Amino acid sequence: MDTDIWGKQSLEEGKTKHISVGELHIWLKYRNEEVWITQAYNDEIKRKADLDQPPKDAEWSRWAHKNSSAEVAIQPVFPDKPLVIHSEYSLKISPETQIQIYTRIPVWIRISLADNDYQLTELPSVKLSRTWFGTEIEGELCYHAKTKARRDLSHVDKKPYLVSCPIKIVNKSVEELTFSHFCFRVERLSMFYHEHELWADETQIIYQGEDLHSEVIMTGKLHKGITKKQLLSKPRKQVHKSLATRTFKRFFKVGPTN
Amino acid sequence: MDLFNIYNYLPEETVHQLVRVVLIIVISIPILLLLRGWARRFFTKKYAPHYGMLAGKVVFYTGIILMMITVMGQLGISLAPLLAGAGIVGVALGFASQTSVSNIISGLFLIAEQPFKVDDIINVGGTIGIVLSIDVLSVKLRTFDNMFVRIPNETIIKTEVINLTRFPIRRFNAKVSVAYKEDIEEVRKILLDVAEKNKHSLSEPEPQIIFEAFGTSSIDLDFRIWAPVDEWIHLKNTIQEEIKKQFDQEGIEIPFPHVSFYTGSESKPLPIELVKGAEQFSSEADQ
């Protein structure tokens, strides 16, 4: 797997370029002043030694642009929906306690024309299943992901398709917070590239009690050693720095249903 | 005599009257159309297409009534005798237009109660379609085989209406039958795996498998999977195919109805003997 794929990539007329990120394989080519892109995931590819050429049944998408350019920009971005992140082991946080955890989530790959940032496509590096966050009558569509909710990432293998997100959870309520899953709204986070790894800025979640919305603050604080110059991609939504929203609350009634 | 001088045919007063009437109509209709468009856009943007459509109609018809009153005033038609006559005519019309009045009142109830909105998919007495408009007398639907259906408001008020798109997620119940010999735990695992891999199914609410019944020829399970409402039909279409495919791969039997004969609990099973030339016997019997 290529570890330094982010940035500009030149395409040569008639030649196919292969990029692999996570479970995703992308093939790009420049032909007749058009950019051609196709993709496949590991589970869709039969065991194949040579990945220079896409599968025979691959469906190509073509883009024609007024200023035809053979250079594309490959950029990691956050998923296009929030993620409901389930902790592998539930963690109980006592009242008036704050902890720092790290969760790593798969990135989306954005391909755009290098000279004018015209976005061609976005593809998830790992296929994530979708889930519903809310009740049966209102809520939002999210991706489903799992986390080990690590307290330290220094001994963890580096994976170029995962972005490490520092999250500070503050339990300001008088009750114990059982952290088994939470809705992680990643659209307001920036992504940084540091020592061949992707990092997000810090998110702070203030839990106020089960019946109240949690306050989610994008503190903008960067992990040790990272500077703003290492910014790779801006947030999808550049709006409020904080929001009050449902983050931890469980929604579906457990038990027999008709 | 000048043939092209209108004053030779009509009195000056009448001509002026006609000019005023024409001017009122020519000016007010475009203004009303503009106002209707503005009201429709404003309420659609601020609330929903349903309200936009309604606001547009209210503005337009109110304007038309006002315009007609003005025109009648210009023509010197007094409203007083008309209104007095309306009382007598009203009684006669009341009898003649009971259905229409009922539909109008039902329409008001529909607007107040809001069981559905424009663009919702509803099922009215077995007719399923997308709501195109909610009008004074009727609701218009477009069915999925592209037919236009007009349902009187009164019928809708009296009939059970199912709104298929009111809530954002919807459950599909797949009836799955497996042979008695199959390991139900194994079947559960396979079904959950199929749900996890299906691109339309949601991880939460979690898929459920309910042991429905010991059937006559099979164990019947109710496999419940959730999907976003606009993908429900795709889920229904794909997941059943995937279950069949996975069952075939894993050798899980989907049984057809069959009957076992016994001659009593103490007796031995019925003896069956294959006779040579049975195929020929069978074909002769068919003829």
Side-chain angles (χ1 to χ4, degrees), chain B residues 151-165:
Chain B
I151 305 171
N153 288 340
E154 191 188 355
T155 311
I156 293 200
I157 287 287
K158 286 179 182 169
T159 319
E160 181 185 87
V161 176
I162 303 169
N163 188 336
L164 303 173
T165 49

Side-chain angles (χ1 to χ4, degrees), chain A residues 84 86 129-133 135-139 141-142 144 181 250-252 255-258, chain B residues 166-169 171 173 196 198-206 208 210 224 226-228 231:
Chain A
V84 174
H86 288 253
S129 62
R130 292 170 313 161
T131 190
W132 188 251
F133 188 75
T135 65
E136 284 90 345
I137 54 174
E138 61 156 349
L141 199 58
C142 302
H144 177 268
H181 72 283
R250 187 90 195 167
F251 346 96
F252 302 108
T257 50
N258 291 322
Chain B
R166 178 67 171 260
F167 301 127
I169 51 172
R171 193 178 77 188
N173 299 346
E196 197 186 322
N198 184 285
K199 66 177 178 180
H200 303 290
S201 78
L202 294 172
S203 303
E204 260 184 30
E206 283 177 16
Q208 277 182 318
I210 307 292
R224 298 164 172 187
W226 290 82
E231 292 178 31

Side-chain angles (χ1 to χ4, degrees), chain A residues 11-16 28-37 60 62-64 68-70:
Chain A
L11 306 176
E12 286 175 49
E13 177 84 35
K15 276 191 178 176
T16 307
L28 302 124
K29 64 182 175 186
Y30 188 72
R31 188 176 166 186
N32 299 331
E33 299 186 337
E34 290 174 4
V35 176
W36 289 46
I37 301 174
W60 290 90
R62 298 161 54 187
W63 281 270
S68 69
S69 163

Side-chain angles (χ1 to χ4, degrees), chain A residues 38-169:
Chain A
T38 189
Q39 75 281 343
Y41 288 88
N42 281 344
D43 61 341
E44 298 162 359
I45 301 173
K46 289 170 193 160
R47 285 187 181 278
K48 201 176 166 193
D50 175 26
L51 284 167
D52 287 342
Q53 292 300 322
K56 279 182 185 166
D57 55 353
E59 281 183 27
W60 290 90
S61 300
R62 298 161 54 187
W63 281 270
H65 203 261
K66 60 177 177 182
N67 306 320
S68 69
S69 163
E71 204 174 34
V72 291
I74 315 267
Q75 190 185 19
V77 287
F78 278 100
D80 55 358
K81 292 183 184 72
L83 288 100
V84 174
I85 298 192
H86 288 253
S87 174
E88 220 168 72
Y89 304 105
S90 83
L91 173 66
K92 292 183 192 300
I93 304 166
S94 54
E96 302 300 325
T97 304
Q98 73 171 46
I99 61 162
Q100 168 102 47
I101 60 160
Y102 295 92
T103 183
R104 298 202 298 170
I105 57 175
V107 293
W108 259 226
I109 315 299
R110 181 182 289 168
I111 303 172
S112 36
L113 292 178
D115 55 359
N116 59 4
D117 276 345
Y118 182 82
Q119 190 184 315
L120 304 178
T121 188
E122 265 188 19
L123 300 159
S125 62
V126 172
K127 282 197 271 187
L128 292 177
S129 62
R130 292 170 313 161
T131 190
W132 188 251
F133 188 75
T135 65
E136 284 90 345
I137 54 174
E138 61 156 349
E140 60 189 316
L141 199 58
C142 302
Y143 291 112
H144 177 268
K146 281 192 172 176
T147 181
K148 289 189 166 28
R150 288 187 173 95
R151 309 296 294 271
D152 178 24
L153 286 182
S154 54
H155 303 294
V156 182
D157 289 344
K158 289 178 182 179
K159 287 188 177 162
Y161 66 96
L162 296 177
V163 51
S164 305
C165 307
I167 301 167
K168 189 180 274 181
I169 301 174

